[in-house]
Amino acid sequence: MTGKAAYYITTPIYYVNDSPHIGHAYTSLACDVLARFMRLDGREVFFLTGTDEHGQKVEKSAAAAGRDPKEFVDEVSERFRALTELMNYSNDDFIRTTEERHIRSCQELWRRIAANKSPKGRDNIYLDTYGGWYSVRDEAFYGEGELIKGADGEKMAPSGAPVEWVEEPSYFFRLEDWRERLLEYYSGGAVAPVSRHNEVESFVKGELFDLSISRTSFSWGIPVPGDDAHIMYVWLDALTNYITAAGFPDERAENWDYWPADLHVIGKDIVRFHAVYWPAFLMSAGIPLPKRVYGHGFLNVEGAKMSKSLGNVLSPKDMVDEFGLDQLRYFLLREVPFGNDGSFSREQIINRINSDLANDLGNLAQRVLSMISKNCDAKIPDPGDEGPDSGLAVYSALSGAQALRDKLRAHAERQAFHDILEEVWKVIREANRCVDEDAPWALRKTDPAKMATVLYVLAETIRHVAILLQPFMPDSCGRMLDQLSVAEDARTFDDLASPLVPGMDLPKPEGVFPRFVEEEA
Ligand code: ME8
C-alpha cells in the first residue's frame, strides 16, 4: 500500500449455474464506476469480483448438464471472467470459491467462530438436527411463517422459488444472541438505501432463529473443520470470499490493510445475507465489519421480470454489440436511480444515446473542436486576458465545471450515480447554451481574440467533463481527451486544476458519440 487512503469495493460473487445476464453486469458496472472514480480521486482501490461455485444449486446444474461439477464450474466461471473483459471492468482480483486460498480462509473463519462465545456466553456453533424448508434456487432456509402460496396452493419461498422439506443433522449458528450488536451496527447507517436499512432492522427485531450453517445430504462444498460428514452452508462459504481476497487468515498480508471493506454492492434479493448473517459471522469471529452494504434495485425488461421461461433474459454481449459499450454503461446508470427498481426498453436506450450522448455531449465536443480546428490553426487557442468579468457566457459553464468535483464526490459517497450524471449534464447543457449565446462563429470576423477566448473556455469545460466522466465511459472519454491533446498521465481529478496549455497541437476532430439509427427492416 502506498499510504493513500484505501477503498475496498466488492460485487456479489455470482452463481455459476448459468451464463451472466444484464443484471449481473449492472451490479458489477456500478462497482467498476466507483472503483474508477475513487482511483481518479486519489484513493488506493481494491476492486473485487468473482464466482460462487459450491452448493446444491450449482451441483444440480452440473448434474443436469451431465457434467462433473469441477469441470462445469471451471467453464461457467470463465464466462463471468469474460464479462469483466466485455464490460471493461477494472477489477483487481477475480475470486473463485473453489480456490485453495478460499477453502483455507473459510475453515479458519469457522474455527474462530466456534472458538468464541456469543454475547450471552454460549457456544456460537452447536450441533443439532435441521428440520425445515429449503429453497435450492435461493440457497436459503425459510420458516413456515415466511412461506407464501403458489398458484396451485403449493408452498413457496417469499421470492417465488420452490421449497423442499429438509431434515438432516446440522451445525447451527447462535444468531439470536447477536441481535443487540446487529442493531447497534445498523444504527451507524451501515445499510443503504434507507428502505433496505428498515427491512433488515425490522427482520432482526423480529423472531430470530438460529441459522443452520452446514449440510450433510450432498457433498459439493467445503468440509467443516473436524467433521468431514458436514459441508459448510454455501452462504457462509460465499460471504467469506470478501476476506479471503484481503488475505485472510493471514492478517499480515499486504491486502489485509484493505479490510474492512468500504462497500459491498449487492442486489436487493441478497440483503439479508449481507446485512444480517455476514456481520454476525464476522462479529462472532472478532473481525471488523464492512463499513457499508448497498442493496440496489432490480432491472426489469419492458415492465417484466427477466426470466428464462419468459425468454426475455438480456445478454450483455448482444447489448454491447447493438448499442456500444460506453453507451450501455452510461444508460444503465443514468436511467434509473440506483436504489430503485427500473424497467428499461429499447426506446429508452435509443433516446438516451441520441439525446444525452449524441446531441448534448457529442455535439458540444464536435462543434467546439471543429471550430478550433478550422479557425485556430488546429491548436489550443489563446484565452488572452479576458476573464469571468468579460461578460462572456462561457465562463458560467466553466465555473459550473470547476465546481463539479466536490459535488460528484458527495454523490459518489451515496452511490447516487444518476445524480452524478445529472450534475455533469447540467454543465454540458449550459455549455451548449453558452456556445449559442457567445456565437464564436460571428466573432471570427469581428473580434478573433474574443473568439479564441470563447473556444478556449469551452475546450477547458469539455476537458473537465471528459475527465469526470471517465469512470462511466472510459474509452469514449479517453478519446475526447486525446482530441484535446491531454496527456494520458494528466487525467486524474487532481489534474483538473492544470488548465489546457495554449498552442498545443490538436489532432483532427472525430465524433465520439454517433447517433443511433434503427436499421431498416
Ligand atoms: O445471489 N437486476 O448470486 P446470483 C439487477 N451467489 N441486478 C440483478 C438482477 C436484476 N434483474 N438479477 C441479478 C448470488 N442481479 C450469490 C451471491 S455474494 C457473497 C453471493 C444481480 O448469481 C444482483 O446483484 O444469484 C443480485 O444480488 C445478484 O445479481 C445475484 O447473483
Side-chain angles (χ1 to χ4, degrees):
M1 304 264 292
T2 55
K4 293 184 197 174
Y7 186 80
Y8 181 13
I9 180 165
T10 68
T11 74
I13 49 169
Y14 304 108
Y15 287 128
V16 288
N17 58 316
D18 209 344
S19 293
H21 58 62
I22 201 71
H24 304 119
Y26 179 65
T27 315
S28 297
L29 170 64
C31 294
D32 183 58
V33 168
L34 287 170
R36 289 176 183 272
F37 187 100
M38 296 300 169
R39 276 189 212 108
L40 288 167
D41 202 24
R43 308 277 293 266
E44 179 80 29
V45 170
F46 184 52
F47 167 23
L48 176 69
T49 186
T51 44
D52 186 355
E53 307 191 357
H54 289 130
Q56 217 172 350
K57 168 161 158 157
V58 171
E59 192 187 58
K60 280 194 167 172
S61 303
R67 307 282 299 279
D68 162 72
K70 184 63 172 75
E71 255 178 52
F72 180 76
V73 299
D74 284 348
E75 184 187 309
V76 183
S77 175
E78 207 42 55
R79 296 184 209 155
F80 281 87
R81 201 187 288 270
L83 179 74
T84 67
E85 309 279 325
L86 173 77
M87 295 295 295
N88 195 10
Y89 299 145
S90 61
N91 51 297
D92 299 289
D93 194 354
F94 185 99
I95 191 167
R96 300 184 51 192
T97 55
T98 47
E99 288 171 276
E100 202 44 50
R101 60 172 171 165
H102 182 65
I103 296 166
R104 205 176 339 116
S105 164
C106 283
Q107 292 184 328
E108 179 56 21
L109 181 69
W110 181 291
R111 280 188 208 100
R112 292 200 194 175
I113 298 173
N116 292 341
K117 296 278 188 233
S118 80
K120 295 190 177 154
R122 305 194 280 183
D123 286 337
N124 279 317
I125 295 180
Y126 61 92
L127 186 60
D128 203 338
T129 302
Y130 180 77
W133 297 100
Y134 193 77
S135 156
V136 175
R137 197 168 94 193
D138 298 350
E139 294 281 21
F141 302 93
Y142 290 107
E144 183 77 40
E146 286 182 284
L147 300 181
I148 57 170
K149 278 220 161 56
D152 303 323
E154 77 281 21
K155 291 181 195 292
M156 282 164 80
S159 60
V163 291
E164 59 193 47
W165 183 259
V166 169
E167 213 167 303
E168 62 189 41
S170 173
Y171 286 97
F172 282 82
F173 175 73
R174 195 87 67 182
L175 183 60
E176 212 221 325
D177 287 8
W178 293 93
R179 173 187 281 115
E180 295 312 318
R181 298 276 302 277
L182 284 170
L183 292 173
E184 246 170 67
Y185 175 57
Y186 306 145
S187 68
V191 183
V194 71
S195 52
R196 315 288 178 235
H197 163 96
N198 294 342
E199 170 195 325
V200 291
E201 194 178 62
S202 81
F203 175 75
V204 169
K205 281 182 174 164
E207 192 176 8
L208 267 192
F209 296 100
D210 287 350
L211 183 68
S212 165
I213 52 167
S214 74
R215 303 286 310 268
T216 40
S217 50
F218 66 99
S219 60
W220 183 239
I222 299 180
V224 166
D227 192 349
D228 277 0
H230 292 250
I231 56 163
M232 291 185 200
Y233 174 38
V234 65
W235 271 102
L236 171 54
D237 166 343
L239 290 160
T240 305
N241 91 88
Y242 301 130
I243 55 175
T244 304
F248 188 81
D250 179 5
E251 280 138 309
R252 284 161 321 186
E254 202 181 337
N255 269 3
W256 191 246
D257 290 343
Y258 286 112
W259 190 261
D262 291 82
L263 183 63
H264 293 317
V265 180
I266 55 171
K268 65 175 185 179
D269 53 332
I270 55 177
V271 169
R272 186 184 296 183
F273 302 96
H274 283 79
V276 182
Y277 305 154
W278 179 227
F281 295 149
L282 288 168
M283 287 192 280
S284 70
I287 298 171
L289 305 186
K291 293 179 200 156
R292 187 169 164 93
V293 175
Y294 191 101
H296 66 66
F298 257 43
L299 297 178
N300 301 315
V301 183
E302 320 260 355
K305 194 173 164 184
M306 251 189 297
S307 82
K308 256 192 169 169
S309 48
L310 289 177
N312 65 351
V313 177
L314 292 179
S315 131
K317 172 83 170 65
D318 292 348
M319 297 187 77
V320 168
D321 287 347
E322 177 160 26
F323 301 110
L325 172 59
D326 281 352
Q327 284 80 355
L328 178 64
R329 287 177 58 114
Y330 171 77
F331 170 78
L332 286 173
L333 294 173
R334 176 65 187 91
E335 189 70 19
V336 179
F338 193 51
N340 300 359
D341 288 345
S343 185
F344 69 95
S345 62
R346 270 182 75 75
E347 196 187 341
Q348 285 168 303
I349 302 181
I350 294 169
N351 259 338
R352 286 287 176 191
I353 292 177
N354 288 342
S355 67
D356 299 9
L357 296 179
N359 278 358
D360 295 344
L361 177 55
N363 202 22
L364 173 68
Q366 186 61 11
R367 58 184 179 155
V368 170
L369 287 165
S370 36
M371 275 188 278
I372 294 179
S373 179
K374 282 197 201 110
N375 304 313
C376 308
D377 212 10
K379 291 182 193 319
I380 297 285
D382 189 336
D385 303 327
E386 302 272 4
D389 300 334
S390 61
L392 288 171
V394 282
Y395 280 104
S396 92
L398 180 58
S399 74
Q402 287 164 336
L404 281 176
R405 181 184 183 172
D406 288 343
K407 291 187 187 166
L408 302 198
R409 215 184 232 167
H411 296 317
E413 290 297 338
R414 303 185 290 116
Q415 293 75 50
F417 301 99
H418 62 290
D419 287 335
I420 295 185
L421 292 170
E422 182 50 35
E423 213 62 80
V424 177
W425 252 260
K426 274 189 215 156
V427 170
I428 294 171
R429 287 190 292 258
E430 173 66 0
N432 273 320
R433 191 192 66 76
C434 295
V435 179
D436 296 336
E437 184 175 331
D438 289 339
W441 50 86
L443 293 170
R444 190 160 61 97
K445 293 232 168 70
T446 56
D447 192 344
K450 212 167 210 171
M451 173 197 71
T453 308
V454 170
L455 292 177
Y456 177 87
V457 173
L458 288 166
E460 186 51 13
T461 305
I462 295 169
R463 184 183 71 93
H464 275 75
V465 164
I467 286 181
L468 291 163
L469 287 178
Q470 290 176 100
F472 293 85
M473 300 184 284
D475 277 355
S476 314
C477 292
R479 278 187 284 139
M480 284 173 73
L481 292 165
D482 290 344
Q483 298 202 27
L484 287 168
S485 289
V486 176
E488 282 191 20
D489 62 359
R491 298 179 178 184
T492 71
F493 293 173
D494 278 347
D495 293 312
L496 288 167
S498 313
L500 288 165
V501 179
M504 286 277 283
D505 286 324
L506 297 181
K508 190 170 174 302
E510 273 168 34
V512 173
F513 294 109
R515 287 186 71 76
F516 184 92
V517 185
E518 278 295 0
E519 305 246 333
E520 296 286 332

